[in-house]
Amino acid sequence: MKAAFGENPKRCYKGKKIDTRMQISALLRETLAKTKEYIQKKESGKDVDYDQKLEAMIPVIKKQMPLKCHCHRADDILTVIRIAKEYDIEVTLDHVTDGRSIIPQIKESGFPCILGPCLGHKSKYEVKNMSFETANEFYKAGIPFCIITDSPVVPEQYLSLSAALAHKAGLPEYEAIKAITINPAKILKLDDRIGSIKVGKDADFVVCTKNILDTQNEIKTVYVNGKKEA
């Protein structure tokens, strides 16, 4: 389930009572509160009109599904953390462009960070602090994170390049590889199936000519479910 903060919802829904950051957070709080009330009425046996939107939010309230919160600026990230604590829900912090400026607060929250895209233009003011150095700062702080391209913003074929540039900016090589393999699998809670090569896991992997972070690397063979693709 996705929730967006910052300039995107302000721009997309301007004139529809979502013109400020305060209105964005207020709308989310209202939705979460209404969902809790909706659940209580249903579980107590009361007659309640079916609400498709609130039904969709039930897994979020019951922690069966994380709320993927897209946030760039430090104040938006902190708003997400505060709301998640208020309503006792699980969230992922997506983009976290300003994450380096509030490392202690992010670490204390325990929420995983989905970092990126860091490749490309600083297309709006709230991404002015975009940097490949953020990944290493998260690693040193012990914050769980992965690296993304936010495809199609940056094409997904540049995922390994993004990890390579994070390595160039200080992130240890092995940690850069983990940031695009096992780390996202853990955040998705799918690491029992994917993200690494291990007995019992899905045998999806590639054989390369060089290190996956090497820009001269070429993929020689692709295996899906243990079978070589033509």
Side-chain angles (χ1 to χ4, degrees):
M1 185 65 67
K2 174 184 175 180
F5 293 75
E7 297 306 314
N8 278 6
K10 284 174 56 184
R11 182 175 65 246
C12 293
Y13 297 98
K14 190 171 180 62
K16 296 181 180 180
K17 297 183 179 180
I18 307 179
D19 301 307
T20 68
R21 281 173 162 78
M22 290 180 67
Q23 288 170 326
I24 294 167
S25 60
L27 178 60
L28 178 57
R29 283 187 170 94
E30 179 184 10
T31 302
L32 292 170
K34 284 183 176 180
T35 305
K36 282 195 169 186
E37 182 181 5
Y38 182 76
I39 292 171
Q40 290 171 355
K41 287 181 179 179
K42 287 186 66 175
E43 293 182 347
S44 66
K46 294 181 180 179
D47 289 332
V48 56
D49 292 335
Y50 177 81
D51 189 310
Q52 189 175 39
K53 291 182 179 180
L54 299 183
E55 285 284 340
M57 290 296 292
I58 289 176
V60 173
I61 293 295
K62 292 190 173 183
K63 293 186 175 181
Q64 298 167 342
M65 176 190 298
L67 188 65
K68 292 179 57 61
C69 297
H70 291 226
C71 45
H72 291 280
R73 268 179 26 179
D75 54 348
D76 290 325
I77 300 168
L78 293 173
T79 295
V80 171
I81 293 172
R82 186 162 52 249
I83 292 175
K85 290 180 178 179
E86 287 175 13
Y87 289 89
D88 189 27
I89 60 173
E90 296 293 331
V91 301
T92 62
L93 305 173
D94 295 30
H95 305 312
V96 283
T97 307
D98 277 354
R100 285 187 297 165
S101 64
I102 51 170
I103 290 242
Q105 292 91 332
I106 293 176
K107 182 175 175 59
E108 190 276 333
S109 77
F111 297 130
C113 293
I114 298 175
L115 177 60
C118 294
L119 183 66
H121 294 292
K122 297 179 180 180
S123 56
K124 48 190 175 183
Y125 182 77
E126 63 182 349
V127 300
K128 66 185 181 70
N129 293 323
M130 181 173 68
S131 172
F132 283 105
E133 295 177 0
T134 304
N136 190 43
E137 294 300 316
F138 282 3
Y139 164 66
K140 291 190 296 183
I143 294 171
F145 76 97
C146 67
I147 291 172
I148 63 165
T149 64
D150 200 26
S151 178
V153 175
V154 175
E156 60 189 13
Q157 59 263 38
Y158 295 121
L159 180 60
S160 59
L161 175 60
S162 297
L165 290 170
H167 170 48
K168 182 180 179 182
L171 183 65
E173 180 180 83
Y174 185 47
E175 297 301 325
I177 294 172
K178 286 167 62 178
I180 57 173
T181 54
I182 191 62
N183 288 5
K186 287 180 178 178
I187 292 172
L188 291 170
K189 302 187 187 306
L190 294 174
D191 52 304
D192 61 328
R193 286 184 43 218
I194 61 175
S196 63
I197 300 174
K198 188 177 180 181
V199 174
K201 288 192 173 186
D202 296 358
D204 300 337
F205 60 93
V206 296
V207 178
C208 304
T209 57
K210 297 182 179 181
N211 187 313
I212 193 69
L213 301 183
D214 192 320
T215 57
Q216 299 301 311
N217 167 61
E218 293 183 8
I219 294 175
K220 292 179 62 178
T221 316
V222 176
Y223 288 85
V224 177
N225 290 325
K227 296 181 180 180
K228 184 178 178 179
E229 294 291 291

